[in-house]
C-alpha cells in the first residue's frame, strides 16, 4: 500500500511540473509576476506587542500553459536586494493563496534578524516570489516592493522554556509548571501543534494570597495587565505576586 501511495504522489508531482513546461523535460520560465502589493500599506508601522496577526496580500501572478503558481513572502533589510532575504515564508494554503497571515512572533523574529533590540523598531522591506515548477520570479518593480516598520516585543532575552509558580496558594501547595502555549485556531475543532514564543499556559485553582513566579533561569516575574508577565529587576524589593480572589485560573 505504501508503494502505491508513493507512486501516486510522484505521478501528481510530475503532472504539476508538466503544466509549467514547454516540453516534457524543460520547465518554462514564462511566469508573469503581478508586481502589485495590497496589504499592509506602504510604510506601515506594526506594534508587535499587541500580539495581533498581520495580513499580507498581493495580486495574482500568471504562468504559461495555465501552470500552477505558488508564493513565498520575502523580507529583507532596506538596502537588501532579496538575493539573500532575512526571512522567507510560504503563503497560506501551502503556498497557493496570494496572501499570508503572519503571527506577531514571526514578525518579531524578522525584526530581530534586522538588528532591532528588545522594544526597538526595525524597518524592513518585503516582496513576493512566485513559483511555477522549478522557476521563480520576484515582484521586483517599484509597486512590487514595500517597507514596513516593526516594533519588536519588549520581552526578556533569552526566552524561558518553562515558567513555575509556587507558594501556599497553589493546588496542594505544590510548585506548578507552565509550558509553552499552543496556538488554538478559532475554527471549531481545529488546533495546531505550533507554539507561540513568549506565551505560557496552565489551568489551575488558586486561593487568595501571594505566590512566586520564576523561570528555568531563576528570574522572577510579576503579573501585569492583559495576562502578561513582567520581569522583576534585581534591585526591586519584593518578588511576591498577590492573587486577590480564590478561583480557577
Amino acid at each position: 500500500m505504501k508503494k502505491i501511495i508513493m507512486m501516486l504522489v510522484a505521478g501528481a508531482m510530475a503532472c504539476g511540473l508538466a503544466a509549467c513546461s514547454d516540453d516534457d523535460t524543460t520547465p518554462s520560465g514564462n511566469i508573469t509576476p503581478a508586481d502589485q502589493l495590497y496589504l499592509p500599506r506602504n510604510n506601515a508601522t506594526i506594534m508587535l506587542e499587541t500580539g495581533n496577526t498581520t495580513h499580507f496580500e498581493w495580486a495574482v501572478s500568471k504562468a504559461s500553459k495555465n501552470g500552477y503558481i505558488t508564493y513565498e513572502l520575502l523580507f529583507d533589510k532596506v538596502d537588501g536586494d532579496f538575493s539573500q532575504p532575512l526571512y522567507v515564508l510560504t503563503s497560506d494554503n501551502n503556498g497557493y493563496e496570494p496572501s499570508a497571515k503572519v503571527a506577531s512572533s514571526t514578525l518579531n523574529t524578522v525584526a530581530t534578524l534586522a538588528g532591532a533590540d528588545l522594544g526597538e523598531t526595525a524597518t524592513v522591506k518585503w516582496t513576493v516570489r512566485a513559483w511555477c515548477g522549478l522557476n521563480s520570479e520576484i515582484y521586483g518593480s517599484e509597486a512590487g516592493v514595500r517597507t514596513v516598520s516593526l516594533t519588536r516585543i519588549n520581552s526578556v532575552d533569552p526566552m524561558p522554556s518553562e515558567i513555575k509558580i509556587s507558594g501556599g496558594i497553589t493546588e496542594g501547595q505544590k510548585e506548578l509548571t507552565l509550558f509553552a502555549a499552543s496556538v488554538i485556531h478559532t475554527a471549531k475543532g481545529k488546533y495546531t501543534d505550533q507554539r507561540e514564543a513568549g506565551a505560557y499556559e496552565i489551568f489551575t485553582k488558586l486561593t487568595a494570597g501571594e505566590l512566586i513566579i520564576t523561570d528555568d533561569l531563576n528570574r522572577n516575574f510579576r503579573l501585569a495587565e492583559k495576562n502578561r508577565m513582567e520581569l522583576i529587576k534585581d534591585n526591586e524589593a519584593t518578588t511576591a505576586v498577590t492573587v486577590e480572589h480564590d478561583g480557577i485560573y
Side-chain angles (χ1 to χ4, degrees):
M1 179 61 72
K2 289 184 178 179
K3 184 179 294 185
I4 295 174
I5 293 174
M6 290 173 66
M7 290 174 63
L8 289 172
V9 171
M13 290 175 63
C15 291
L17 289 175
C20 297
S21 301
D22 288 327
D23 51 48
D24 291 337
T25 60
T26 306
S28 76
N30 295 331
I31 300 174
T32 304
D35 276 348
Q36 185 67 48
L37 307 178
Y38 295 149
L39 295 172
R41 61 176 176 78
N42 197 27
N43 301 318
T45 298
I46 301 174
M47 304 296 294
L48 303 178
E49 189 73 26
T50 64
N52 295 331
T53 297
T54 303
H55 184 70
F56 288 78
E57 188 175 345
W58 52 89
V60 175
S61 295
K62 295 182 179 180
S64 60
K65 299 185 179 180
N66 297 318
Y68 291 107
I69 293 285
T70 58
Y71 302 95
E72 290 176 327
L73 181 59
L74 278 58
F75 295 94
D76 207 347
K77 293 184 177 180
V78 174
D79 58 354
D81 60 1
F82 296 106
S83 59
Q84 293 182 311
L86 290 175
Y87 200 92
V88 179
L89 181 73
T90 301
S91 73
D92 292 344
N93 193 22
N94 294 322
Y96 285 99
E97 293 293 332
S99 61
K101 293 181 283 294
V102 185
S104 60
S105 56
T106 300
L107 292 178
N108 192 63
T109 300
V110 173
T112 303
L113 294 173
D117 203 350
L118 296 175
E120 292 183 348
T121 299
T123 299
V124 298
K125 62 182 182 180
W126 66 279
T127 190
V128 174
R129 179 161 55 200
W131 284 91
C132 181
L134 300 177
N135 294 295
S136 64
E137 293 286 346
I138 291 179
Y139 289 27
S141 71
E142 183 176 351
V145 178
R146 286 185 176 180
T147 61
V148 61
S149 294
L150 306 173
T151 300
R152 189 178 163 193
I153 298 172
N154 190 14
S155 186
V156 295
D157 192 18
M159 197 70 72
S161 58
E162 292 181 4
I163 299 289
K164 296 181 181 296
I165 58 176
S166 59
I169 70 172
T170 61
E171 289 186 88
Q173 298 184 348
K174 296 179 180 179
E175 182 179 76
L176 304 176
T177 301
L178 289 77
F179 295 100
S182 296
V183 178
I184 303 177
H185 288 196
T186 55
K188 183 178 180 180
K190 292 187 177 180
Y191 303 92
T192 176
D193 291 329
Q194 293 177 342
R195 305 287 173 171
E196 183 176 357
Y200 304 86
E201 65 183 357
I202 193 172
F203 184 78
T204 189
K205 181 180 180 180
L206 300 176
T207 55
E210 291 186 342
L211 54 77
I212 302 294
I213 303 176
T214 58
D215 66 7
D216 52 320
L217 299 175
N218 294 319
R219 295 175 295 188
N220 293 295
F221 297 82
R222 69 163 62 89
L223 295 177
E225 295 180 354
K226 298 181 179 179
N227 295 325
R228 296 182 182 275
M229 290 184 293
E230 294 179 347
L231 184 65
I232 297 176
K233 298 178 181 179
D234 293 336
N235 60 357
E236 294 190 53
T238 180
T239 57
V241 174
T242 301
V243 175
E244 299 293 343
H245 306 285
D246 296 6
I248 304 296
Y249 289 85

